[in-house]
Amino acid sequence: MVATHDRTVTVFGGAGFLGRRIVRHLRSHGFPVRTASRHPDRGHRLFGPDFPQLQSVGANIHDERSVADALAGAYGVVNAVSLYVEHGEETFHSVHVEAAQRVAAQALRAGVDRLVHISGIGADAASQSRYIRKRGKGELAVRAAFGDALFAVSRSAIVADFSIDNSPPTSSMPRSPKVRSSLISPLST
């Protein structure tokens, strides 16, 4: 088992649907976690009050300084921020391309060792679908910003919540340990 006590991982979107599961997964593997979210109070409601191994901080992925502050001293970063419906200045481009690039660039500047960028199934910069195209362009922007450092793209196709009643999912989601450990392995090496 890799020693993780001094390897803080910042999870952008850590209070969101997928992010909270990533936070729990990282904590179950001993990583100290900093959830970075527009709503740090949600992090406190989900995970309890801050303590040395788990902190919830306010962060705006559209703001360089806010992103940099959330990354200070982090070993790894997971960008689990997503947008499914555009509204106002929150567009697929601003979130999936610009903000993703900002997180990656600030992670590089902060000396972060590991970056996991959560993308979407079928992400393709040439797609006719604006959502899928922006996901694909976001992947390209993250790759360009993070340089030659280790980078992993996790394309989530189906997210099932097993915590409700532990019954099997109604979808055909694989139950392989590889699926569950795919987020942790890029951070553990």
Side-chain angles (χ1 to χ4, degrees), residues 143-156:
R143 283 189 185 102
F146 205 70
D148 293 330
L150 177 66
F151 175 74
V153 174
S154 296
R155 292 184 172 181
S156 53

Side-chain angles (χ1 to χ4, degrees), residues 38-39 59-63 81-99 102 130-131 134:
R38 291 178 297 168
H39 309 287
N60 178 349
I61 59 166
H62 300 294
D63 179 74
V81 174
S82 188
L83 180 73
Y84 299 104
V85 177
E86 296 179 300
H87 45 88
E89 293 186 19
E90 296 284 320
T91 65
F92 297 145
H93 185 80
S94 73
V95 172
H96 297 299
V97 180
E98 293 172 353
R102 183 175 297 109
R130 188 169 67 246
Y131 174 81
K134 295 304 179 178

